[in-house]
Amino acid sequence: MSDPVTSAAAPTGAPATPASAPSPARPAAAAPATNAERAIPGTGTAHRHVLVAVVNNRPGVLNRVANLFRARNFNIESLAVGHTERPDVSRMTITLRGDDVAVEQAAKQLYKLIDVLKVQDVTAEPRIEHELALIKVRATNSTRAEVLKVVELYKGRVVDVAADSVIVEATGTEDEIDALVALVGGFGIKEMVRTGSTVMVRGPQVVEYEGVAK
Amino acid sequence: MTMTTRAPGRHLPGAGTPEASAIEHARAEMLQEAKPRGRTRIGADVVCESLLRQGVDVIFGYPGGVLLPLYDVLGDYPQLRHVLVRHEQGAAHAADGYARVTGQVGVCLATSGPGATNLVTGIANAMLDSVPMVAITGNVAAALLGKDAFQEIDITGITLPMTKHNYLVRDANDLPHVFAEAFHIARTGRPGPVHIDITKDALQQETRAQHPDEETVLAAIPGFRPTYDGHPRQLRLAAKMIDEATRPVILAGHGILLAGASDQLRAFAERAQIPVAHTLLGVGAMDETHPLEYGYMGMHGWKHVNRAIQSADLLIALGMRFDDRVTGKVSTYATGARIIHVDIDPAEIGKNVSVDVPIVGDVGRVLTALTPLVAERRPADRAAYFEQLAAWRRESESRSWHGSGAWRDGLLSADYVVEQIGAAANYDATLVADVGQNQMWVARYGGFRRPDSHLSSGGLGTMGYALPAAMGAAVGRPDKETWAICGDGGFQMTMQQLGTLVQEHIPVKIAVLDNTKLGMIRQWQELIYAGNYHSAHLLGPDYLKLAEAYGIPAFRATTPDEVPTAIAAAQAVDGPALVHFRIADEQNVFPFMPAGKGLSDLIEEWGGADE
């Protein structure tokens, strides 16, 4: 028997029966209007998106959200979660990179979780987007004054002082904190922790959702 | 020796605290069964009451240590039939089969640890095929959770990504609400499995908690509000696009069956005179003898169907999700077609292909609203299009039918066997396919006339599905003849359920299409891997003796002329029966679209030397 792959590519092995006459896969009469390729969702230009997810404040909800992103192959840049004005509701700020279609898909998948009450992509909204950072900076007697000055210039706050280091607390946008980190980096960073962005849309509008009972 | 020298309780971290005493108490309970309670109402009663309130009449299950409180009261609820399976995977598949033929939520039950993990395949199967199911597992007493107790596993952690929702219940007072919510979620919107894990102490705990009404249940899940009606603007856009199209094709999927929308589909197709192609799980959405029914699409679909799709100027996708088996390479998929996509799950729209008109809603309600908006046509209006379609169909059916040619040598051809089973049952039986070549043969040649008569593991592709799912289907629709059509590979995966068929008097007829091969593996190895047949050959038992050992009448056919007799003999049995069809060793399923290729790249070869 001939190599099946080859013979399949050129189906000439069939005997001369009327039905077996090779025909073009796509007859000219029915040629499609366009030869353009069909776009594959999620393959456009990736950029940073900020999603707000309002969720039930119940055990395991964070796990459901985090697991969904992993299972659906979405990369989270940061995820911050905390209480809201309602004790039964938590709010997550999720930043991720992807094209618009992919991020919309992520939002739709999030919405399918029973514990998710609302998802909103606030990337295009005017917003306050801040994170908090704690940075333990090397600061000896000779450099401490200089460290304090830099921190003050950047509206950071020194919240702890030890013999050879200080802890700097800073809040602000990701860029502002990146800038501060770059500056104090010259003195030597011993340890750092950042919360990831939390976001609120400017002006009177709020992220609305249907309330939960209980 | 050393133990006696230690003070009692020394081994327990945090000894003396209430938590530690609770853990100690729970351990003692696990080792020594609690004495049967007086007939007060306990969590296990709530489980049974909840099932009855939800209209459940059968559960497929398997007992275990932590479930004993439930099995202790099950006898007090004779309206609940319990089918004792031989492996928990079968319980989940049976609940799946039951759900698919009845449209009701299927229920399966397993114990903690291995019982629960055995359910997992069946739950995943139901998830990928959107089958309404409630899976119940027991777990160790709440105080022991996280202690790696005997048969403890974090099963809710495992089922989290493969369920619509899941619960871990530690308090019997939560059970009424959880069950009501779980059934609501399982059957509402896009159906799917919901898992409830219940600790043993919750099953044993006395409770007076009342069952909630519908309103309370809805109020508790504000995050779950499926959209049923299509947006009027989208419907008008779709109608306009449909009226403009000259080569439209309807793609009918599982959503049609799940929504019970076969009548609406037919009415829509007839009014607009649009041919209907169907997915694997859309088999039966339209009577295959209907003039507008065009056939099965995709990787092993009919060439004429794929041709029609590739040359269409409009695809109307109804309750299907453009799976890779349907589209092949997306960039070359129906490049000249605009797409209208109707689905109740908004996340399916725009997931795999970009769409021109998305419509979120129940496909039945959308079609009811859409049909009067489209122009009425007569077949003559599409004469040229229909002539082309008919010509393609004649050509492709003459090539693919009995594709292997094996039957000409007096060997048994699987497609012939499947066709004969369909015909012998007057095209009214429930045919449950396994996975692999047999699955494709069933979908292509079974001859389906009604919805919910074809069951197949589409999304997950679970070998071993057929027999246990057929079990559930036969229990759900005892008025229909039920066939499990398996390959020898899939049958050997779950053949332990023969015992269930006998013990529970479930009259499933089993067709084993035996080519002593993992046929689809062998086919790919032949066509893609240069004939490197590693692990494709499969030794099987003597199937007649196997059936006989269970007291199941069994028959054999090795030549085409023995087929009708063997089928008739199995049909004549009052109860389960098995037919061993010794089919040709090397029959391939054609056409065949190699993975990574497009729908226009079908391999449609005459296998065998006889051609």
Side-chain angles (χ1 to χ4, degrees):
Chain A
M1 194 176 160
S2 63
D3 173 34
V5 178
T6 316
S7 61
T12 51
T17 63
S20 68
S23 59
R26 191 182 290 155
T34 164
N35 287 321
E37 289 201 347
R38 181 167 293 284
I40 300 170
T43 52
T45 320
H47 54 99
R48 183 171 179 274
H49 286 256
V50 183
L51 298 182
V52 171
V54 181
V55 304
N56 285 326
N57 180 13
R58 283 185 196 152
V61 176
L62 177 60
N63 185 24
R64 288 179 197 277
V65 171
N67 192 62
L68 183 146
F69 279 95
R70 180 197 56 76
R72 296 271 173 193
N73 207 16
F74 298 116
N75 260 324
I76 300 180
E77 276 191 355
S78 74
L79 191 161
V81 57
H83 298 300
T84 65
E85 72 282 4
R86 290 179 49 166
D88 54 347
V89 168
S90 299
R91 177 159 152 162
M92 298 177 177
T93 303
I94 302 159
T95 65
L96 69 166
R97 289 188 69 79
D99 81 350
D100 294 348
V101 180
V103 174
E104 188 191 344
Q105 173 66 202
K108 284 170 166 181
Q109 293 292 351
L110 266 183
Y111 227 127
K112 285 171 73 171
L113 297 179
I114 307 293
D115 284 321
V116 172
L117 306 175
K118 175 79 181 186
V119 183
Q120 192 171 327
D121 188 338
V122 298
T123 312
E125 309 285 339
R127 62 186 187 274
I128 302 294
E129 185 187 323
H130 280 182
E131 65 175 310
L132 181 144
L134 296 176
I135 315 164
K136 190 171 284 181
V137 182
R138 205 176 295 282
T140 58
N141 286 336
S142 58
T143 61
R144 190 173 296 117
E146 209 178 331
V147 171
L148 293 181
K149 197 183 287 173
V150 168
V151 169
E152 196 184 335
L153 273 172
Y154 270 81
K155 299 201 179 98
R157 210 153 67 90
V158 171
V159 291
D160 182 65
V161 181
D164 61 350
S165 67
V166 296
I167 297 179
V168 178
E169 177 197 286
T171 60
T173 64
E174 207 178 301
D175 288 347
E176 286 166 352
I177 292 178
D178 285 348
L180 175 61
V181 168
L183 272 177
V184 297
F187 303 104
I189 294 174
K190 298 178 73 172
E191 193 178 11
M192 178 169 80
V193 56
R194 293 170 69 157
T195 58
S197 291
T198 52
V199 70
M200 191 171 275
V201 173
R202 286 181 183 271
Q205 67 174 111
V206 297
V207 174
E208 281 173 19
Y209 56 91
E210 265 198 81
V212 282
K214 274 188 177 174
Chain B
M1 282 287 237
T2 51
M3 285 190 61
T4 52
T5 63
R6 286 173 183 265
R10 279 281 293 278
H11 289 297
L12 194 62
T17 63
E19 291 78 13
S21 327
I23 292 168
E24 204 50 344
H25 179 72
R27 283 210 176 103
E29 291 251 306
M30 293 281 286
L31 291 172
Q32 192 173 2
E33 292 302 326
K35 293 297 289 176
R37 75 261 101 70
R39 226 26 216 124
T40 52
R41 180 175 181 257
I42 60 170
D45 290 298
V46 177
V47 172
C48 298
E49 291 166 12
S50 299
L51 294 177
L52 290 173
R53 286 173 65 89
Q54 297 296 336
V56 174
D57 54 5
V58 59
I59 51 183
F60 302 90
Y62 205 98
V66 299
L67 279 186
L68 283 171
L70 180 54
Y71 279 84
D72 196 32
V73 304
L74 214 42
D76 297 343
Y77 301 86
Q79 315 94 301
L80 278 176
R81 177 179 178 190
H82 179 270
V83 173
L84 176 63
V85 297
R86 293 298 182 274
H87 183 286
E88 291 87 348
Q89 182 191 345
H93 288 328
D96 174 313
Y98 175 92
R100 290 195 208 211
V101 298
T102 62
Q104 306 295 311
V105 179
V107 179
C108 54
L109 175 64
T111 192
S112 64
T117 54
N118 280 347
L119 273 188
V120 165
T121 303
I123 295 173
N125 190 75
M127 184 65 177
L128 284 193
D129 286 353
S130 310
V131 178
M133 175 189 291
V134 167
I136 306 166
T137 55
N139 211 329
V140 299
L144 291 182
L145 288 172
K147 301 284 178 198
D148 299 323
F150 177 64
Q151 293 192 331
E152 187 211 347
I153 198 77
D154 172 24
I155 191 64
T156 44
I158 292 173
T159 61
L160 187 144
M162 63 183 72
T163 50
K164 273 184 90 173
H165 199 49
N166 63 10
Y167 303 86
L168 169 57
V169 184
R170 311 146 183 260
D171 182 344
N173 295 314
D174 294 339
L175 284 170
H177 185 88
V178 164
F179 268 83
E181 199 173 283
F183 274 85
H184 175 78
I185 291 170
R187 67 162 73 98
T188 306
R190 179 182 183 173
V194 178
H195 169 220
I196 306 173
D197 193 26
I198 312 169
T199 60
K200 183 177 185 181
D201 50 339
L203 287 173
Q204 284 171 324
Q205 178 191 344
E206 284 185 29
T207 175
R208 308 174 78 164
Q210 292 306 299
H211 296 278
D213 56 19
E214 184 95 20
E215 242 170 72
T216 316
V217 173
L218 281 175
I221 40 173
F224 182 64
R225 295 283 183 272
T227 305
Y228 295 105
D229 291 311
H231 194 287
R233 188 172 53 89
Q234 297 299 91
L235 292 175
R236 282 196 301 275
L237 276 175
K240 184 163 174 291
M241 213 173 258
I242 291 165
D243 288 345
E244 287 168 2
T246 56
R247 298 185 308 280
V249 178
I250 291 170
L251 311 177
H254 198 194
I256 297 287
L257 304 180
L258 291 168
S262 283
D263 291 344
Q264 291 93 318
L265 169 66
R266 196 178 56 246
F268 170 69
E270 283 172 354
R271 181 176 170 94
Q273 285 296 309
I274 302 176
V276 179
H278 59 254
T279 66
L280 176 62
L281 294 187
V283 171
M286 188 107 155
D287 182 337
E288 288 190 5
T289 58
H290 192 284
L292 285 169
E293 158 66 31
Y294 200 53
Y296 173 40
M297 69 175 89
M299 177 178 268
H300 287 292
W302 294 93
K303 185 168 186 179
H304 60 271
V305 179
N306 289 335
R307 256 174 149 174
I309 291 169
Q310 287 299 75
S311 67
D313 64 352
L314 177 67
L315 300 178
I316 306 156
L318 304 174
M320 54 83 76
R321 57 188 176 87
F322 293 101
D323 173 77
D324 52 275
R325 255 51 180 171
V326 156
T327 61
K329 199 165 141 194
V330 172
S331 58
T332 63
Y333 179 70
T335 49
R338 295 195 281 188
I339 296 181
I340 298 167
H341 192 179
V342 182
D343 204 292
I344 198 161
D345 180 356
E348 283 306 340
I349 295 176
K351 186 178 85 177
N352 294 330
V353 299
S354 43
V355 166
D356 298 278
V357 181
I359 302 176
V360 177
D362 172 87
V363 70
R365 281 159 78 159
V366 168
L367 285 176
T368 302
L370 181 61
T371 303
L373 300 182
V374 301
E376 188 168 2
R377 292 181 190 254
R378 291 158 302 141
D381 299 340
R382 297 202 195 274
Y385 179 43
F386 284 177
E387 258 169 49
Q388 172 71 86
L389 293 181
W392 284 346
R393 182 177 205 150
R394 275 194 302 277
E395 187 188 325
S396 103
E397 287 189 346
S398 70
R399 283 180 67 99
S400 300
W401 183 248
H402 297 183
S404 74
W407 57 288
R408 289 172 207 239
D409 301 331
L411 294 174
L412 253 191
S413 183
D415 41 13
Y416 172 72
V417 172
V418 170
E419 194 277 338
Q420 287 295 303
I421 292 173
N426 212 14
Y427 305 107
D428 192 42
T430 306
L431 303 190
V432 187
D434 211 80
V435 166
Q437 289 186 317
N438 62 83
Q439 184 178 26
M440 297 301 113
W441 285 318
V442 171
R444 288 170 62 87
Y445 305 110
F448 295 91
R449 305 274 168 89
R450 62 175 178 89
D452 306 326
S453 60
H454 167 263
L455 273 60
S456 199
S457 168
L460 194 66
T462 313
M463 278 180 72
Y465 172 77
L467 178 51
M471 227 157 66
V475 169
R477 286 300 299 269
D479 56 322
K480 300 290 182 190
E481 188 176 320
T482 304
W483 281 82
I485 302 180
C486 329
D488 49 312
F491 176 70
Q492 289 186 69
M493 276 197 175
T494 51
M495 64 187 180
Q496 73 278 67
Q497 303 295 352
L498 291 174
T500 315
L501 296 184
V502 175
Q503 185 171 356
E504 297 284 339
H505 310 291
I506 303 172
V508 171
K509 314 298 178 194
I510 303 158
V512 181
L513 306 178
D514 176 21
N515 52 10
T516 68
K517 299 283 181 295
L518 297 175
M520 193 59 94
I521 297 297
R522 198 211 62 81
Q523 173 168 348
W524 280 59
Q525 288 172 334
E526 178 189 337
L527 301 181
I528 315 281
Y529 292 93
N532 181 11
Y533 298 120
H534 196 294
S535 301
H537 181 75
L538 193 69
L539 190 66
D542 180 326
Y543 294 95
L544 266 53
K545 282 186 180 162
L546 177 74
E548 191 192 323
Y550 282 98
I552 294 177
F555 311 91
R556 178 173 285 141
T558 52
T559 60
D561 52 322
E562 290 170 355
V563 170
T565 330
I567 293 171
Q571 286 177 312
V573 174
D574 179 23
L578 182 147
V579 188
H580 176 220
F581 296 99
R582 184 63 182 86
I583 60 168
D585 271 17
E586 301 195 343
Q587 182 178 357
N588 286 336
V589 183
F590 287 115
F592 166 54
M593 174 182 68
K597 295 290 181 117
L599 275 195
S600 300
D601 306 318
L602 292 188
I603 295 178
E604 191 180 23
E605 189 206 355
W606 242 266
D610 55 301
E611 284 290 341

